[in-house]
């Protein structure tokens, strides 16, 4: 582990071997759509029920807290991403700023995050797909839409949608991004329909008592409640913007497009989330849709608007794959970049003639399909959040370190009040981490310990060999 503090130098695209170059095909509209597609999805369509079960009507406050913390991280991402316009997101930034060991640990956290997010969204999509099919008379057996922990055998629809999205990504990044933009419009139209139908039956009495479980995390392990317990889970709903950072090498004009994509998508999504959460609770008491796999569709049915529920369910079935696509895209790029640096087998870092990393995409599909097929949504979301919080802390810290280490370096985007934003993001993420379920914290720390062992016995030497190979031409 003698090279643990070696820092990565960013290699210009033209200096990379041809088989390591990702095609530059994405403009800022693609990136904004990628971010909105990733952020607006399972979090608001599915996890609002999980959050309501933990916080009651104060889930709105949970959304606000998670959104503010994510906004701090998003501003830090925008500054660092434009300074280091390379694929790999927080992993690459950590490699450049802190060194190889920290980068590897953040890489483990990101792989954990993205694998679990794709799996969680696939499970969320399965809930809406099963509900929609049931509403039109084609219900699936419960054994085939639930994993073993929920009394089933395997979540077959979740595996199916992962395979479909993997095929799209193998076809090409631009083609996938264009389809993503179309589906994002459908998804936003469905949420607009929900607001139009739910707000007319708004009942302020549904907000009393506002905070039935208190503010801090409380309750027995495995059944934690409170505003912060909910925020720690539904934090999952906000962080799709970091998928944009993984597309840095495929952006046509990264200096401009990355900042627009990251900040723009966050602003749009915070507004959408607050409006939908308020309309949902105002339309129906939280205890009647808490923990539902399709809470918004359930609300519409309960208020006598079955036609709108069917439209929303169909839209979710059509458009939730945008979230899977965005995070699957990010996951494959993280794997690709780590492999290109030699910390994973280099054979995984080859791109096809279309400029897409086919091998790593297939490998990712296998991993996330296993998770999605067997593990329930709430468990996956909590585990995913732990990895994301670690990555966000690393990016906020990287922004502050670069401000001290290289104060005069050109910054295409400058975070306002950087020390307030950076330290606020770090402390906020740490507070969310300690608000996660104890089992989640234990699993995350165990994964990091395993990652440290793998680095010691494999990663360090493999990365040194990869650097030597590059140096020798």
């Amino acid at each position: 582990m003698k090279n643990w503090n070696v820092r990565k130098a960013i290699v210009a695209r033209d200096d990379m071997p041809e088989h390591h170059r990702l095609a530059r095909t994405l403009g800022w509209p693609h990136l904004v759509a990628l971010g909105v597609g990733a952020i607006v999805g399972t979090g608001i369509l599915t996890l609002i029920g999980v959050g309501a079960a933990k916080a009651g009507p104060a889930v709105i406050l949970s959304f606000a807290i998670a959104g503010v913390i994510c906004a701090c991280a998003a501003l830090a991402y925008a500054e660092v991403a434009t300074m280091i316009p390379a694929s790999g997101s927080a992993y690459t930034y950590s490699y450049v700023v802190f060194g190889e060991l920290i980068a590897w640990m953040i890489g483990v956290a990101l792989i954990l995050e993205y694998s679990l997010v794709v799996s969680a969204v696939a499970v969320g999509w399965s809930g809406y797909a099963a509900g929609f099919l049931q509403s039109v008379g084609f219900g699936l057996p419960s054994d085939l839409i639930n994993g073993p922990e929920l009394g089933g055998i395997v979540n077959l629809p979740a595996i199916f949608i992962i395979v479909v999205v993997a095929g799209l990504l193998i076809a090409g990044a631009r083609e996938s991004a264009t389809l993503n933009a179309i589906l994002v419009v459908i998804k936003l139209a469905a949420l607009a329909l929900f607001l139009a139908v739910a707000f007319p039956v708004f009942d302020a009495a549904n907000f009393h008592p506002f905070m039935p479980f208190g503010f801090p995390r409380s309750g027995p392990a495995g059944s934690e409640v409170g505003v912060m317990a909910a925020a720690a889970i539904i934090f999952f709903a906000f962080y799709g913007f970091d998928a944009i950072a993984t597309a840095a090498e495929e952006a046509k004009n990264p200096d401009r497009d990355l900042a627009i994509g990251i900040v723009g998508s966050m602003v749009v999504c915070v507004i959408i989330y607050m409006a939908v959460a308020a309309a949902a609770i105002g339309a129906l008491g939280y205890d009647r849709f808490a923990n539902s796999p399709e809470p918004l569709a359930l609300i519409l049915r309960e208020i006598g608007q079955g036609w709108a529920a069917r439209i929303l369910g169909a839209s979710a079935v059509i458009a939730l794959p945008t979230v899977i696509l965005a995070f699957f895209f990010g996951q494959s790029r993280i794997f690709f970049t780590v492999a290109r640096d030699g910390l994973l087998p280099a054979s995984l870092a080859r791109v096809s003639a279309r400029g897409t990393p086919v091998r790593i995409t297939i490998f990712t599909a296998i991993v996330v399909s296993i998770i999605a097929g067997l593990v329930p949504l709430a468990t996956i979301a909590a585990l995913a959040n732990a990895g994301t919080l670690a990555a966000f802390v690393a990016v906020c810290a990287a922004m502050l370190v670069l401000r001290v280490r290289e104060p005069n370096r050109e910054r295409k985007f400058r975070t306002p009040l950087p020390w307030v934003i950076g330290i606020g993001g770090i402390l906020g993420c740490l507070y969310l981490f300690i608000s996660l379920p104890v089992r989640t914290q234990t699993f995350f720390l165990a994964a990091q310990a395993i990652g440290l062992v793998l680095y010691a016995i494999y990663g360090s030497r493999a990365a040194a060999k990869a650097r030597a190979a590059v140096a020798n031409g």
Side-chain angles (χ1 to χ4, degrees), residues 249-322:
E249 287 183 30
E250 291 155 278
K252 293 178 181 177
N253 185 357
D255 290 345
R256 178 199 66 184
D257 296 347
L258 290 174
I260 293 174
I262 291 170
V263 177
S265 60
M266 268 300 296
V267 171
V268 169
C269 293
V270 168
I271 294 171
I272 292 170
Y273 275 18
M274 301 307 295
V276 172
I281 294 170
L284 191 70
Y286 78 90
D287 56 330
R288 294 171 64 185
F289 65 85
N291 285 322
S292 167
E294 41 157 7
L296 299 189
L298 173 65
I299 290 169
L300 293 175
R301 287 195 295 269
E302 289 291 315
I303 63 175
Q305 303 294 337
W307 64 272
R310 284 190 291 274
I311 292 175
L312 181 71
S315 300
V317 171
I318 294 170
L320 261 183
T322 61

Side-chain angles (χ1 to χ4, degrees), residues 16 24 26 31 46 48 91 108 152 193 230 262 292 311 325 346-347 386 395 418 457 467 470:
M16 293 180 184
R24 289 197 181 279
L26 306 179
L31 296 178
T46 300
I48 187 172
Y91 158 77
V108 170
L193 172 65
I262 291 170
S292 167
I311 292 175
L325 189 149
S347 61
V395 175
I457 63 178
R467 284 192 297 272
V470 171

Side-chain angles (χ1 to χ4, degrees), residues 48-435:
I48 187 172
V50 175
K54 291 182 174 293
V59 69
I60 292 179
L61 183 56
S62 302
F63 272 116
I65 292 169
V68 168
I69 294 172
C70 263
C72 292
L75 291 169
Y77 260 92
E79 178 170 318
V80 178
T82 53
M83 294 177 70
I84 309 173
S87 184
S89 185
Y91 158 77
T92 296
Y93 311 150
S94 297
Y95 213 152
V96 172
V97 177
F98 302 118
E100 186 174 276
L101 177 59
I102 298 298
W104 170 257
M105 303 308 287
I106 295 300
V108 170
L110 283 172
I111 289 170
L112 180 69
E113 169 201 342
Y114 278 86
S115 296
L116 292 168
V117 168
V118 171
S119 303
V121 180
V123 174
W125 179 87
S126 175
Y128 271 91
F132 175 72
L133 291 173
Q134 182 72 36
S135 72
V136 296
F138 293 99
L140 296 174
S142 61
D143 285 348
L144 297 182
I145 58 176
N146 290 301
E149 194 168 330
L150 296 179
I153 298 173
V154 65
N155 194 325
L156 201 57
I159 296 174
F160 166 78
I161 195 60
I162 288 171
V163 173
V164 171
V165 172
L168 286 173
L169 287 172
I170 289 171
R174 182 178 178 83
E175 293 80 2
S176 299
T178 300
L179 176 61
N180 176 72
I182 296 170
L183 296 180
V184 165
V185 172
I186 294 173
K187 184 162 53 178
L188 295 181
L191 290 176
L193 172 65
F194 175 82
L195 294 175
V197 174
F199 266 128
V201 297
F202 187 92
D203 183 357
N206 290 335
F207 286 84
H208 301 288
F210 181 68
M211 200 181 296
F213 306 113
F215 184 83
R217 186 192 73 176
S218 60
S223 302
E224 293 89 345
V225 294
V227 171
M228 288 309 301
I233 299 298
I234 61 178
F235 176 75
F236 172 96
F238 281 96
Y239 56 69
F241 65 82
D242 66 342
I244 297 171
T246 68
E249 287 183 30
E250 291 155 278
K252 293 178 181 177
N253 185 357
D255 290 345
R256 178 199 66 184
D257 296 347
L258 290 174
I260 293 174
I262 291 170
V263 177
S265 60
M266 268 300 296
V267 171
V268 169
C269 293
V270 168
I271 294 171
I272 292 170
Y273 275 18
M274 301 307 295
V276 172
I281 294 170
L284 191 70
Y286 78 90
D287 56 330
R288 294 171 64 185
F289 65 85
N291 285 322
S292 167
E294 41 157 7
L296 299 189
L298 173 65
I299 290 169
L300 293 175
R301 287 195 295 269
E302 289 291 315
I303 63 175
Q305 303 294 337
W307 64 272
R310 284 190 291 274
I311 292 175
L312 181 71
S315 300
V317 171
I318 294 170
L320 261 183
T322 61
V323 188
I324 303 174
L325 189 149
F327 280 101
F328 203 137
F329 176 93
Q331 167 70 310
S332 63
R333 270 51 181 180
I334 296 292
F335 268 132
F336 174 82
T337 306
V338 175
R340 193 170 63 185
D341 289 338
L343 288 163
L344 287 174
S347 61
L348 294 174
R350 298 188 69 88
V351 298
S352 69
R354 299 177 65 87
T356 58
V358 174
R359 296 179 183 180
I360 207 72
T361 300
I362 294 172
F363 174 72
T364 303
I366 294 171
V367 172
V368 299
S369 292
I370 293 171
I371 298 171
L374 302 177
V375 184
L377 175 64
T379 301
I380 301 174
L383 293 173
N385 284 355
T388 305
L389 290 168
F392 282 10
V393 167
V395 175
C396 289
M399 179 194 71
L400 297 179
V401 169
L402 288 172
R403 286 279 181 144
V404 174
R405 184 188 294 166
E406 303 178 46
N408 298 321
R409 183 171 168 180
E410 182 182 13
R411 287 166 170 80
K412 301 292 184 180
F413 175 87
R414 298 184 69 88
T415 300
L417 302 173
W419 290 95
V420 173
I421 295 296
I423 294 174
I426 292 170
L427 294 178
C429 288
L430 292 176
Y431 189 29
L432 285 177
F433 182 82
I434 65 174
S435 300

